[in-house]
């Protein structure tokens, strides 16, 4: 019923910036939280940041001060503004959403992932 579509990934030089987008569509009746995770091949998926329905944000220590998550409620879209990028930020970035359906059940959804490569 719900689909998350990520975009904005690509190749960027160290120290550069990039903005990721995640648009949610489908049978959405309530917003609880959305966030971003990242994964390197052969390693565990790592939590990056989360924004809640109240607008509070939290970040992993590795990205604190460099990444900013935001939300556009009217568009059902979240953004991840990444600055001062380093090679260690190279990964596939996944959007995650916790949403309520028409019977008020909470469900978790994942996007397909978008590649971010930080290299000169």
């Amino acid at each position: 019923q719900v689909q998350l579509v990520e975009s904005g990934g690509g190749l960027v030089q160290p120290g550069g910036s990039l903005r990721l987008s995640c648009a949610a569509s489908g049978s959405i009746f309530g917003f609880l939280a959305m966030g971003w995770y990242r994964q390197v091949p052969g390693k565990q998926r790592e939590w990056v940041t989360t924004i809640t329905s109240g607008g509070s944000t939290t970040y992993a220590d590795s990205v604190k001060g460099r990444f900013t998550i935001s939300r556009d409620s009217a568009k059902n879209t979240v953004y991840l503004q990444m600055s001062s990028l380093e090679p260690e930020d190279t990964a596939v970035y996944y959007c995650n959403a916790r949403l309520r359906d028409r019977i008020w059940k909470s469900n978790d959804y994942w996007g397909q992932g978008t590649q971010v490569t930080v290299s000169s």
Side-chain angles (χ1 to χ4, degrees), residues 12-18 66 82-89 118-120:
V12 63
Q13 295 184 6
S17 299
L18 207 61
R66 300 188 298 118
M82 304 182 293
S83 301
S84 301
L85 285 163
E86 303 292 341
E88 311 89 78
D89 297 316
V118 185
S119 176
S120 60

Side-chain angles (χ1 to χ4, degrees), residues 13-114:
Q13 295 184 6
S17 299
L18 207 61
R19 190 175 80 153
L20 306 183
S21 300
C22 176
S25 62
S27 184
I28 302 170
F29 287 79
F31 174 89
L32 293 173
M34 294 184 73
W36 292 91
Y37 292 71
R38 64 187 183 185
Q39 188 169 27
V40 177
K43 297 184 179 180
Q44 297 263 35
R45 188 169 297 186
E46 173 191 22
W47 170 75
V48 176
T49 180
T50 297
I51 185 167
T52 69
S53 61
S56 64
T57 58
T58 52
Y59 299 90
D61 289 342
S62 57
V63 306
K64 180 70 176 179
R66 300 188 298 118
F67 290 11
T68 302
I69 187 171
S70 61
R71 176 178 178 240
D72 186 333
S73 299
K75 296 181 173 63
N76 289 318
T77 300
V78 294
Y79 305 93
L80 182 63
Q81 179 65 52
M82 304 182 293
S83 301
S84 301
L85 285 163
E86 303 292 341
E88 311 89 78
D89 297 316
T90 296
V92 177
Y93 283 71
Y94 295 91
C95 178
N96 166 260
R98 180 164 292 177
L99 309 169
R100 292 193 185 276
D101 60 19
R102 69 180 186 87
I103 60 172
W104 214 239
K105 179 184 177 183
S106 178
N107 301 286
D108 291 335
Y109 304 93
W110 290 91
Q112 80 288 347
T114 184

